Each structure stands twice: as structure tokens, then as C-alpha cells.
Amino acid sequence: MAKDRFGRNIHYLRISLTDHCNLRCVYCMPEDMTFRPNAELMQDDEILTLTRLFATLGFDKIRLTGGEPTIRKNVVDIVRGISAIEGINSVSMTTNGLLLSKLAQPLADAGLERVNISIDTLDPVKFKRLTRWGEVDEVLEGINAAEAAGLTPIKLNAVIVTGYNESDVVPLSGLTAKNPWQVRFIEMMPFAGATDFQLKNTVTAAQIKEQVEAAYGPLEVVNNGELDGEARLFRLPNGVGDVGFISSVTSPFCASCTRARLTSDGILRMCLLREKEIDLLTPLRAGASVEELRTMILDAVWMKPWGHGLEEGAIPLNRTMSEIGG
Ligand code: SAM
């Protein structure tokens, strides 16, 4: 078991399969974003080798992310390989859903359990403005395909951005009236690449909740108010799904964080919002032994920061969100 110096059991690894993306969401990366050459990214066998190592240290839960994980060549084989690793109990994915109409079933067959699909608006025009060119209908098809493939419960992620999609809070949360989905509103966080934009246009979880309640009435608390992962869950009056709030900025959940992140170029980050990084890929390629790599991971886990430093103005400026993996 990998414990940090605060006694947290760190067992959840988010692996970014690529920093490349087929969208350019305004709050995630600049329009002229450049991506790493493929040779700099972990190769399929390197992803599996590192995941095996993490599994031997008690990591049992994997989420694949990006960039956009579904555009990674061989994504289905990678999922199959990770699912087969002894000790890995759950493999899920965060995706923009654009390619799920084709990939949901093969991914499910390969062992993927669940997907979180990002969708910030149901309006095609606003969707295009937010993503710089995406088609929302393709995401909706992807959601249906994921549900049909049993990648459930479906969780939908939405970032609400001033001047772009504030009025979408109502239709998005309204999806949970009739669908057994979790619609989760994530507070926008600041990173490199779009820092000023992110700091200026944040809408807080409290503001979003107020809007939902103004439209639908008081929300019922779900789960006795306990966090479900990183989300606090509520239900619309007579709703069948849940509305979640991920208030990373205004009410951080660092005390219960069990996560580590492996970027697509093989860098371990113990906090999404801290700049400190531990390169695992270079030593792996240089022939480091399993023991040496395990020690590097355990040392990094031990030194996991207690929490992020947004309140003190510590903003991670060494990578965009898309280069880390949400
Ligand atoms: N491409 C995939 C997707 O769209 O879900 C996975 C990667 S994306 C970086 C993961 C999640 O991070 C998405 O739900 C996205 O909306 C969210 N995200 C991106 N930038 C963010 C930011 N600055 N603050 C909060 N969430 C952000």
C-alpha cells in the first residue's frame, strides 16, 4: 500500500494517454496549442510496464484521460492490457465522447467499466464556441452509445464559464430529471495557457447550485452529504439521476485525495495543481530497475502535498490542463 506522510492511502492513478486532443476548449488550452511528438509520449508497452509497477504498490483504480484518450492509437488494446493487470480492479475513462459512438462497445468489451463524458452545453452554437469547433450531436450520440454498451453509471462533466454557458446550468442539470446520470459541475481551475481567462471567468459551485434550485426547487442531499469521489451529490425534486458539484476552488477536497497522475510523457504528478513532477519515463528508458522505479514512486507518494495552493495564489504554470489530464 502506498501511503503519504499524512496517512492517505494513494491508490488511484489517472493516466493520460496523449496530450493531443480533437477539441480546443477555451478553458483548457490556447487555440494554437502545440502537442508533443509521439516519440516523447509513453509507448503502449511503457504504459503497461508503469501501470504494473503501480499495481504492485497497491494502486487498484485507473482512469484514462488526456488530451483526448480515445484518439490514442490502440486505445482498445491499452484498455485490455491494463484491465488484465493483477490488482487493477477498475478502469474508467474521461472523454469528450466524440468518438464513443464507434468505440464505446469495443472499449467495454476490452474491460472499460465506466466513462465520464464532458459536455458543457446542449446548444450546438455554444458548444462550437466553447470547444472552438466541436459538434454537440456527436457527443450526444456518444453518450447514448456508452449507455448502450453498459459503461454506466454515466457521469457528465460540465465546466461553467462566464459569458459562455451560464444559462446551460438549468438544461444540463435537468437531464437528471429523467436519466439515471450524474451531471457534475466542475469549478474552473487556473493553469498555464489560459490563466487570465480561467481566473476571470470562474462560476462557483454555490452560484451554480443557486441557479439549479431557482429553476427546480430545493435539492435533496444524496449520500448524507459525503463526497462521492470528488463530487458532492444532490438530487432534483423527483429526479432519477444526481447533480454533483466539484468545488475544487471554493471548497477543496484535498484531505480525501487518493490520486496520482501520470502524464502522457511519463511524468508523475502528485497534485493536479502543484508544479512538482517526477520523471518516470526517462529512467525507465535508461534501464532503471523495477526496484529503483518503485522507490521513486513511493518517495513521490510520501511527499504528496497536503493540498493545492490556489488560495495562496500558487497557480501551476508549467503545464496546461490538457497536458496533465483532468
Ligand atoms: N478530453 C477529455 C475530456 O474532454 O473529458 C479528457 C481530458 S479533459 C482535460 C478532462 C476534464 O477536465 C474535462 O471534463 C474538462 O472539462 C476538464 N477541464 C479542462 N480544463 C479545466 C479547467 N481549467 N478547470 C476545470 N476543469 C477543466
Side-chain angles (χ1 to χ4, degrees):
M1 190 181 286
K3 284 225 178 216
D4 74 2
R5 65 210 147 111
F6 304 105
R8 293 173 296 191
N9 173 16
I10 312 305
H11 65 104
Y12 178 5
L13 183 65
R14 295 196 174 182
I15 305 174
S16 172
L17 294 186
T18 175
D19 61 333
H20 301 216
C21 193
N22 44 1
L23 293 178
R24 298 285 183 278
C25 299
V26 289
Y27 55 78
C28 191
M29 63 173 103
E31 188 167 16
D32 59 352
M33 184 75 191
T34 52
F35 300 109
R36 289 182 166 72
N38 284 334
E40 283 180 21
L41 305 186
M42 293 184 287
Q43 305 301 296
D44 297 2
D45 60 324
E46 291 167 335
I47 293 174
L48 295 180
T49 300
L50 288 173
T51 310
R52 260 184 232 109
L53 258 173
F54 278 94
T56 64
L57 296 171
F59 282 77
D60 58 356
K61 191 173 164 186
I62 304 289
R63 172 170 297 276
L64 302 175
T65 179
E68 173 48 40
T70 58
I71 63 172
R72 168 87 190 207
K73 204 167 160 231
N74 301 334
V75 63
V76 173
D77 292 335
I78 294 171
V79 167
R80 188 175 299 108
I82 292 177
S83 306
I85 292 174
E86 197 182 326
I88 300 297
N89 297 328
S90 145
V91 185
S92 57
M93 181 181 279
T94 301
T95 167
N96 59 32
L98 288 179
L99 298 180
L100 280 182
S101 55
K102 217 172 47 195
L103 281 174
Q105 192 60 57
L107 286 169
D109 294 344
L112 192 73
E113 246 180 59
R114 278 177 288 108
V115 280
N116 289 11
I117 301 171
S118 305
I119 180 162
D120 304 318
T121 170
L122 300 174
D123 178 305
V125 176
K126 287 197 230 168
F127 189 81
K128 200 159 261 178
R129 186 165 170 246
L130 264 162
T131 61
R132 293 195 173 105
W133 60 62
E135 298 289 344
V136 74
D137 282 352
E138 292 174 16
V139 184
L140 296 171
E141 280 167 31
I143 295 171
N144 290 334
E147 197 162 41
L151 295 172
T152 54
I154 299 283
K155 296 186 182 178
L156 304 182
N157 290 345
V159 176
I160 301 300
V161 186
T162 311
Y164 282 78
N165 61 343
E166 297 109 305
S167 58
D168 289 274
V169 164
V170 172
L172 284 169
S173 53
L175 292 173
T176 66
K178 297 223 167 75
N179 299 291
W181 300 342
Q182 219 183 76
V183 173
R184 299 139 32 108
F185 295 101
I186 307 176
E187 278 177 346
M188 184 159 55
M189 295 170 275
F191 296 88
T195 321
D196 291 345
F197 178 89
Q198 291 154 335
L199 289 171
K200 259 193 237 136
N201 296 295
T202 308
V203 183
T204 66
Q207 289 167 328
I208 298 169
K209 184 162 179 270
E210 204 174 293
Q211 253 203 78
V212 178
E213 292 196 312
Y216 297 105
L219 293 174
E220 274 169 45
V221 174
V222 173
N223 219 8
N224 289 322
E226 299 285 313
L227 280 172
D228 176 73
E230 60 271 66
R232 261 177 232 294
L233 299 182
F234 296 84
R235 191 157 277 203
L236 299 185
N238 303 317
V240 294
D242 295 325
V243 178
F245 297 97
I246 303 181
S247 43
S248 332
V249 179
T250 58
S251 179
F253 38 87
C254 306
S256 61
C257 181
T258 58
R259 296 175 200 87
R261 287 179 168 80
L262 187 60
T263 65
S264 55
D265 52 334
I267 304 285
L268 181 60
R269 248 175 115 108
M270 294 308 303
C271 174
L272 174 64
L273 289 156
R274 294 277 185 184
E275 289 186 345
K276 174 128 179 76
E277 304 190 325
I278 298 95
D279 182 358
L280 296 179
L281 186 58
T282 306
L284 175 70
R285 287 185 177 174
S289 69
V290 167
E291 235 9 85
E292 283 166 335
L293 288 164
R294 279 166 60 98
T295 303
M296 290 177 74
I297 297 169
L298 285 174
D299 288 349
V301 166
W302 183 252
M303 294 309 292
K304 178 175 167 72
W306 170 248
H308 66 61
L310 291 183
E311 264 180 29
E312 302 95 63
I315 295 171
L317 294 176
N318 56 349
R319 282 178 191 254
T320 61
M321 175 65 145
S322 61
E323 291 175 296
I324 305 170

